[in-house]
Each structure stands twice: as C-alpha cells, then as structure tokens.
C-alpha cells in the first residue's frame, strides 16, 4: 500500500515539475498583458496556458477549470477588441493525451478506493486507533511550553489580570514551595472579559511561561459532533492531564458547555449538560496534590451555570477590562514592536483617539496601517496611515455598536464623578478606589467602591451614605446638564431596595418604628427568597411606601447639595476622566484631598 501511494506521489510530482519549469504568471497578469497588447499568441491546453510574446519568449499560467479562458479574460476586464485576431492569436487545443489519462484514471480510481477501504477496515479491526475511532477521545492540543511563542511580554494593558496569572505560573513552577507552607493550589481560574480583550492570549502566555504541559480545547469542540461524545472527551482530557501533572488545562469559550442548565428554549440540552456535569465531576475529584490547574475563558459570565462558580471550582476569577488610554498605549507598543514606524508616529495620540478599542481592535488597526503604507509604496508606517486605519476599524461591523458619542461620554464622566464626589464627602460611605468611564458590561462606566472593613453591623448612617453616593450619579447629571438619563437605572433600583429594607426589615424608620413588616418564605433548598407574605394592613402599606419615598428623596436632595458645594471638584474630576478615562485612588487623593477619619461607619458618641 505505502509503495503504491509513493508511486502516485512521484507521478504527481513529475507532472507538476514539467509544468513549473517555465516562468509562471497569474491569469490576472495575462489579462493585463493582453490588454496592453504585449502578447502575440496564447496556447490554451486544458487549464494550462502558454503565453508567447513577440520576442518568442514564453510564460505559463493556469486558468480556473470551471470557466473558459475567454470568459475569464472578459471577467478580468479584457474587451472583445483586445481579443481581435490582429491583436492576439488564441489557440485552443482540443482535449488530447490528457483526456486519455483521465479516462484511464476513471477505471483505476475505484479500485484504489476499494483497496484503501479494505486497508482502513483492516487497521480498525486490529484496533489500530485511526481517526474514525477517536471520537470519544479529546481533541485537546498539547503544547509542551518548550519553545514558547507567546510570553507575558506580549500581553499589555491588563496589569491586574497579568498579576493574577503570574501567581498561577509560580504555583506550577514550584508547587513544593507552596505545599510546604500548607497552601492549597487553586483549581480553576476563570478569565472573563469582552471579546478581544486578550483572554486566549493570556492563557497562551501562561503556557509559554509556566514550562509545564498545556492542554488547550475550546468549549465548542466538546459539543460539536455526536451525542454522548462530550462527556467522554472530558474524561479522556482529564485522564491525560492528570498523568501529566503538573499541567494546565485551558478550556476556551466555556460558555458553550457551561451555559445555565435548563436555559434556552426548546431542544434538548442533554449533551451540554452531560459534558458540564463531567467537567464538574472531574474538578471535584482532584486531590489536593493533583497539580492540574484549569483555566477557562468566557465572554459571557452572565450565562454561566452557577455550579461552575461554586467555591472549590473556579475559585479565582479574573476580569479583563477594556484597556484605558494608558493600557491602549502599552498594547500599541507591543504590536508596533519590529514594525518600521515613521518618526512622526505618536502612540499616545493614537491611544487617545481609540476609546473603547480592545487589544484585538488595536492589533487590527496596526495591521491595517501597515497594509495602507505598503499599498502606498512607503518604507515606513506614518501617522496618516494610522489615522486612516482607525477609521477603517471603527467602521468595521463589530465595532459600530460599541461607539460612544462625545456627549454620552461627557454625561457618563459627570455621572461617575458624581458618585465619587458624594462618596468622598461622606465619611461613612465606602472608599472610592477607581473611577472609570470605560464600559463594563451594561454599565457605561463604573466607580469602584470597597468597604473599609468587613462588617456584620451596618449603621443607619452608613446605609444613608451609600444611598446618597448611589444617587450622586443621577444628581450630577441633573445639576450639570439640567436633564437626566437612563444611565442611573441600576443605581435607582439599588437605592429603592435599600430604603425598603431599612423600613420593612431593619426597623430604621421613625415613622414605622422598630418592627418587621411582611414575612419572608425562604426556599431553603434553593437558597433563594421566594415569596413575601403581607401581614400588615393597606394603610400600613401606604405608610411604608411614603416612608421609602421620603428616604430616597432626602438622600437625593443631599446628594445634590453636596455636589453643588463641590462643583469645582466635580468639574475637575469629570474633565480628568474625559482626558484619561480612569482615575486611580492616588490621583483622586490629589484632586480631592479630604483626609477623613474612618471608623467603619459605626455611630460615634460625640457625633453631631
Ligand atoms: P479573546 O480571547 O479575549 O477574545 P484574544 O486573546 O483572542 O481575545 O485576542 C486577539 C488578539 O488581540 C491577540 O492575539 C492579540 O494580538 C491582541 N490582543 C488582545 N489583547 C491584548 C493585550 N492585552 N495585549 C496585547 N495584545 C492583545
Ligand atoms: Mg478567545
Ligand atoms: Zn451610577
């Protein structure tokens, strides 16, 4: 059999060899030369084209098999006039010897195929493990990490995520060090972020850095083929991984299998469910010394099955944010490496001009710029090429929906600055760590506030302060733009919930007194609060509603007062946000230096 295949290959190459000895030109070039009148004769033999020039030199070309030569020339813009006999002679040879070869092949081919089939079946019977029997085995690709193609140097603009994964790499490099101190190596790391933020890239970098085997598979590959295959693929993958530990298993796009079970309309999700169950079983079955770390990536953490997020599974979650201006500059630096840039190129300006771009967009943009420069016969890529390429990327299909107008950006900046200023002015409110106008999920921007300490007791003052800072966003919009937007809907929801809880569950309303209103039936098994049973009269219900409204309105009023009082700081913060998109806590301290004694929001005896 092998000899036979060998002969076929040899014959094939011999034939090819003959065809490529003369200079080979593309059919497009042939058309061009005919139009320019540079060709005296063309000989067409099946799909082989021989071009003969006035000086008797020759060139060869190939035509597409499914159209005649003349048809193809016409498609390439050659007119009937160009093809007139005084211009060029076209000599079409009738099917000749080749026809005979094809005819013979027609007789021989079926025999070859039958022979091949027998061979295949024979191998199968011996359990030779050829492709057809491999359905149940994982198709994970294994990388040894001996010659890394991607390292942490190639990842930029997402410092926190990099930091987290560096730790994972350290675990894998020297597990003994951590185990000696009784540390438990994390089982799973879940990378979450918008498409193109570098999740796959980061996982590859881990494999490049860790120096341990790295199995990579995509969630969609688990489910693509036959029913019942997914689960056995998972089993096989983990068996391999465990026998190879320490190692990493990377499941890209885990939402393909890890979708909320029972979600989705119609159709059976059995296959997915089995696959997911198997992943969970494998993860739970790891011993403490298994040393297999699972890294999974998803664009859609919102649809993930809660079982995947339970403790002991993906116990580390890493969010990859869209990069801010400084991040974008760093990413541009990475991708500009080794490309000839003209001296006038300013990456900082480019970073400024690309709000909302993720790493993949930036890479795409640099590539477009290089293409533009090459088409203009330039030796270096200059600033104008980049500016044009930004427009191209913005105009691209998947980018359009993500564009934010300047007006919207301004509103978002003031909204977030409003949260920050109110929170800062209230000693009881949580500490502001970071303000950003880069979209995260549904929110246009975000203000990251963290409590100073964990607390089990929450004072009334603290809740009120939180309500005021939540309403600070909406209040800033009203003060600055005399109009309000839908951007605050989530804030309002939370504030309303807090106020209602204060009144009905915490007894924090003077009007209604220290009482609990309404009974909650808790579905203990599901851990969810299900129904609320009313045990109070209609008139009390009205009082509750009135009291809730009063609390919220008072908080809103206070938020507006605080912001009017600190209007300059509000403006400065918003401007700074528009300029650099994020503000870290240290920078915030500079702009709004209010050293405030914090006591965790607990009541102080001598407070006013
Ligand atoms: P995801 O998996 O999150 O959708 P990828 O990792 O596939 O995104 O990113 C696609 C490409 O975009 C990468 O190959 C890389 O060239 C570029 N890229 C994305 N994020 C970054 C980053 N943080 N630093 C450098 N390049 C990046
Ligand atoms: Mg990816
Ligand atoms: Zn808000």
């Amino acid at each position: 059999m092998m000899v036979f295949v060998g002969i076929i290959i040899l014959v094939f190459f011999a034939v090819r060899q003959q065809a490529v000895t003369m200079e080979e030109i593309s059919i497009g070039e042939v058309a061009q030369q005919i139009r320019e009148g540079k060709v005296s004769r063309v000989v067409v033999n099946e799909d082989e084209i021989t071009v003969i020039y006035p000086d008797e030199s020759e060139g060869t070309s190939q035509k597409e098999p499914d159209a005649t030569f003349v048809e193809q020339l016409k498609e390439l813009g050659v007119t009937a006039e160009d093809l007139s006999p005084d211009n060029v002679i076209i000599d079409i040879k009738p099917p000749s010897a080749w026809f005979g070869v094809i005819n013979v092949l027609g007789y021989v081919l079926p025999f070859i195929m039958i022979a091949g089939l027998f061979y295949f079946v024979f191998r199968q019977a011996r359990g030779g493990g050829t492709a057809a029997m491999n359905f149940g085995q994982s198709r994970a690709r294994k990388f040894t990490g001996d010659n890394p193609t991607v390292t942490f140097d190639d990842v930029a603009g997402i410092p926190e995520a990099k930091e987290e994964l560096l730790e994972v790499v350290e675990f894998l490099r020297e597990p003994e060090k951590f185990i000696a101190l009784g540390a438990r190596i994390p089982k799973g790391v879940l990378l979450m972020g918008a498409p193109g933020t570098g999740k796959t890239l980061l996982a590859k970098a881990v494999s490049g850095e860790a120096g341990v085997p790295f199995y990579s598979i995509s969630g969609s590959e688990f489910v693509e083929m036959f029913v019942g295959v997914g689960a056995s693929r998972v089993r096989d993958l983990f068996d391999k991984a465990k026998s190879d530990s320490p190692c990493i298993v990377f499941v890209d796009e885990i939402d393909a299998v890890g979708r909320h079970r029972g979600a989705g309309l119609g159709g059976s999700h059995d296959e997915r469910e089995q696959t997911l169950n198997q992943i969970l079983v494998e993860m739970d079955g790891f011993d403490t010394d298994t040393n297999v770390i699972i890294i999974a990536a998803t664009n859609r953490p919102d649809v993930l099955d809660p079982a995947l997020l339970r403790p002991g599974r993906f116990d580390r979650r890493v969010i990859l944010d869209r990069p801010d201006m400084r991040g974008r500059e760093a990413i541009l630096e990475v991708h500009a490496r080794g490309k000839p840039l003209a001296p006038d190129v300013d990456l900082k300006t480019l970073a400024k001009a690309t709000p909302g771009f993720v790493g993949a967009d930036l890479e795409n943009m640099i590539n477009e710029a290089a293409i533009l420069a090459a088409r203009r016969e330039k030796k270096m890529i200059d600033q104008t090429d980049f500016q044009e390429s930004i427009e191209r990327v913005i105009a691209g299909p998947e980018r359009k929906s993500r564009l934010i107008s300047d007006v919207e950006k301004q509103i978002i900046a003031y909204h977030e600055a409003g949260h920050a200023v109110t929170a800062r002015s209230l000693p009881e409110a949580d500490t502001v760590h970071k303000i950003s106008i880069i979209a995260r999920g549904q929110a246009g921007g975000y203000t990251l506030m963290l409590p100073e300490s964990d607390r089990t007791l929450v004072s009334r003052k603290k809740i009120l302060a939180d309500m005021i800072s939540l309403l600070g966003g909406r209040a800033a919009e009203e003060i600055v733009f005399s109009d309000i937007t839908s951007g605050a809907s989530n804030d309002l929801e939370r504030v309303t919930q807090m106020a209602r809880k204060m009144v009905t569950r915490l007894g924090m309303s003077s009007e209604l007194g220290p009482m609990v209103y309404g009974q909650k039936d808790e579905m203990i098994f599901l851990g969810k609060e299900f129904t609320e049973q009313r045990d109070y009269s209609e008139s009390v219900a009205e009082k509750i509603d009135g009291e809730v409204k009063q609390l919220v309105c008072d908080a809103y009023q206070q938020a507006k007062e605080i912001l009017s009082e600190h209007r300059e700081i509000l403006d400065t913060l918003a401007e700074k946000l528009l300029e650099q998109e994020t503000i870290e806590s240290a920078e915030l301290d500079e702009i709004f230096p209010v050293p405030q004694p914090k006591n965790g929001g607990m009541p102080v005896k001598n407070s006013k």
Side-chain angles (χ1 to χ4, degrees):
M1 190 70 185
M2 287 320 281
V3 176
F4 198 66
V5 171
I7 291 173
I8 291 180
I9 290 173
L10 274 182
V11 169
F12 182 72
F13 271 101
V15 171
R16 292 283 309 166
Q17 204 54 40
Q18 222 179 19
V20 296
T21 41
M22 272 181 288
E23 201 202 346
E24 177 100 31
I25 49 182
S26 77
I27 183 109
E29 281 169 297
V30 175
Q32 173 89 15
Q33 289 169 354
I34 291 179
R35 269 192 298 175
E36 289 168 0
K38 286 186 185 156
V39 179
S40 57
R41 225 180 108 198
V42 180
V43 181
V44 183
N45 192 343
E46 297 285 306
D47 293 337
E48 299 287 327
I49 310 230
T50 312
V51 186
I52 298 153
Y53 301 102
D55 62 354
E56 298 291 314
S57 67
E58 292 182 3
T60 60
S61 185
Q62 286 272 341
K63 78 169 184 65
E64 302 290 327
D66 46 338
T68 70
F69 179 56
V70 172
E71 275 168 11
Q72 277 178 46
L73 285 184
K74 291 208 167 137
E75 239 164 59
L76 291 163
V78 178
T79 60
E81 204 177 316
D82 293 329
L83 291 173
S84 77
D86 353 314
N87 214 346
V88 59
I89 295 164
I90 296 189
D91 193 354
I92 297 176
K93 290 257 184 297
S96 59
W98 276 109
F99 202 65
V101 171
I102 288 166
N103 254 347
V104 171
L105 266 184
Y107 288 112
V108 176
L109 215 58
F111 287 103
I112 298 177
M113 283 164 79
I114 289 168
L117 199 67
F118 268 112
Y119 176 69
F120 198 67
V121 169
F122 182 60
R123 287 264 317 249
Q124 284 300 317
R126 286 192 320 188
T130 40
M133 292 295 270
N134 276 354
F135 294 137
Q137 285 180 23
S138 85
R139 302 226 251 118
R141 288 162 297 275
K142 178 181 171 181
F143 303 98
T144 48
D146 290 340
N147 37 13
T149 49
V150 180
T151 66
F152 275 127
D153 285 343
D154 298 312
V155 187
I158 36 173
E160 293 99 353
K162 238 167 104 166
E163 191 71 26
E164 285 267 350
L165 287 174
L166 256 170
E167 211 177 289
V168 172
V169 168
E170 272 174 41
F171 270 135
L172 286 165
R173 279 208 188 125
E174 297 172 277
E176 317 81 41
K177 190 169 98 186
F178 293 88
I179 290 168
L181 291 176
R184 189 172 52 81
I185 293 190
K187 262 187 208 169
V189 181
L190 183 62
L191 305 177
M192 309 187 279
T197 43
K199 298 180 294 296
T200 309
L201 183 76
L202 200 52
K204 280 187 191 153
V206 170
S207 113
E209 298 275 343
V212 299
F214 182 85
Y215 290 92
S216 163
I217 192 157
S218 165
S220 54
E221 286 170 48
F222 279 130
V223 278
E224 69 186 354
M225 274 230 251
F226 295 101
V227 176
V229 168
S232 68
R233 274 194 190 161
V234 174
R235 215 173 304 127
D236 181 64
L237 169 62
F238 280 90
D239 283 347
K240 275 187 195 158
K242 270 184 260 180
S243 64
D244 231 358
S245 84
C247 73
I248 296 171
V249 174
F250 176 50
V251 186
D252 207 352
E253 293 161 26
I254 195 170
D255 38 307
V257 279
R259 247 166 218 270
H260 207 307
R261 280 169 287 188
L265 297 172
S268 140
H269 290 264
D270 273 0
E271 172 67 2
R272 237 189 230 153
E273 220 161 279
Q274 279 177 19
T275 309
L276 175 60
N277 283 340
Q278 191 63 37
I279 293 181
L280 298 177
V281 166
E282 296 285 351
M283 286 185 88
D284 290 344
F286 283 0
D287 299 329
T288 39
D289 55 353
T290 308
N291 290 350
V292 176
I293 294 188
I294 303 171
I295 301 178
T298 178
N299 307 328
R300 302 281 320 268
D302 51 319
V303 301
L304 280 191
D305 196 297
L308 275 172
L309 304 175
R310 218 164 279 156
R313 284 168 185 165
F314 288 100
D315 28 22
R316 299 225 168 176
R317 323 239 172 103
V318 179
I319 296 177
L320 282 76
D321 277 322
R322 285 173 197 282
D324 65 355
M325 210 156 64
R326 281 165 278 191
R328 291 197 299 271
E329 193 184 339
I331 294 174
L332 284 172
E333 264 160 29
V334 166
H335 288 282
R337 249 189 247 148
K339 297 211 170 58
L341 300 189
D344 71 330
V345 173
D346 180 16
L347 296 183
K348 202 178 208 108
T349 314
L350 295 174
K352 221 174 226 173
T354 46
F357 273 39
V358 292
D361 294 327
L362 294 168
E363 188 209 359
N364 188 5
M365 172 196 125
I366 291 201
N367 188 42
E368 287 283 341
I371 291 172
L372 280 173
R375 281 184 40 208
R376 292 170 178 159
E377 316 280 338
K378 289 184 198 163
K379 290 271 175 298
M380 283 188 271
I381 314 173
D382 63 29
Q383 192 80 355
T384 50
D385 299 323
F386 278 113
Q387 254 131 24
E388 258 191 79
S389 70
I390 291 176
E391 278 155 37
R392 284 192 176 196
V393 175
I394 287 178
E398 79 268 37
R399 287 246 5 124
K400 273 213 180 93
S401 59
R402 285 197 241 145
L403 273 187
I404 313 166
S405 73
D406 282 350
V407 180
E408 264 179 312
K409 233 169 116 171
Q410 222 176 10
I411 296 175
I412 295 170
Y414 268 101
H415 179 108
E416 299 306 331
H419 284 310
V421 170
T422 40
R424 275 252 152 170
S425 334
L426 298 163
E428 294 86 9
D430 290 339
T431 317
V432 179
H433 278 254
K434 184 176 175 180
I435 326 173
S436 169
I437 56 169
I438 293 173
R440 178 185 265 184
Q442 293 295 320
Y446 60 91
T447 300
L448 183 64
M449 293 195 249
L450 297 173
E452 207 65 335
S453 56
D454 277 346
R455 53 183 109 223
T456 42
L457 291 181
V458 186
S459 73
R460 183 169 189 269
K461 261 196 175 158
K462 157 82 176 125
I463 303 180
L464 285 175
D466 284 345
M467 284 170 58
I468 294 169
S469 61
L470 274 171
L471 289 166
R474 161 63 66 93
E477 288 177 31
E478 195 190 324
I479 289 174
V480 178
F481 301 98
S482 319
D483 194 7
I484 45 184
T485 69
S486 58
S489 71
N490 183 261
D491 299 336
L492 300 186
E493 212 170 286
R494 281 175 56 196
V495 167
T496 315
Q497 256 174 26
M498 286 163 105
R500 184 161 286 277
K501 198 165 177 188
M502 279 176 84
V503 177
T504 61
R505 309 224 66 80
L506 305 174
M508 286 181 176
S509 142
S510 47
E511 179 83 1
L512 288 144
M515 266 186 72
V516 172
Y517 296 91
Q519 246 174 350
K520 284 233 157 93
D521 279 343
E522 303 212 356
M523 306 286 282
I524 297 164
F525 303 113
L526 298 174
K528 281 181 191 162
E529 287 177 351
F530 242 47
T531 49
E532 199 189 66
Q533 264 171 12
R534 248 175 66 172
D535 58 359
Y536 45 83
S537 68
E538 201 58 46
S539 72
V540 169
E542 252 167 51
K543 264 193 198 156
I544 292 176
D545 291 342
E547 191 66 8
V548 169
K549 186 176 168 206
Q550 194 59 45
L551 280 171
V552 175
C553 288
D554 283 353
Y556 189 61
Q557 200 52 42
Q558 281 206 46
K560 283 210 291 194
E561 273 163 30
I562 293 171
L563 292 178
S564 304
E565 190 184 324
H566 296 290
R567 178 64 200 259
E568 280 131 72
I569 293 172
L570 182 70
D571 288 335
T572 318
L573 269 185
E575 266 158 43
K576 188 129 190 149
L577 268 177
L578 284 171
E579 194 186 301
Q580 60 183 39
E581 295 172 7
T582 53
I583 298 180
E584 305 283 343
S585 63
E587 286 171 306
L588 192 63
D589 285 342
E590 262 171 47
I591 301 172
F592 196 174
V594 247
Q596 284 164 355
K598 293 242 169 186
N599 68 344
M602 292 306 287
V604 181
K605 264 203 185 129
N606 57 357
S607 69
K608 19 175 189 144

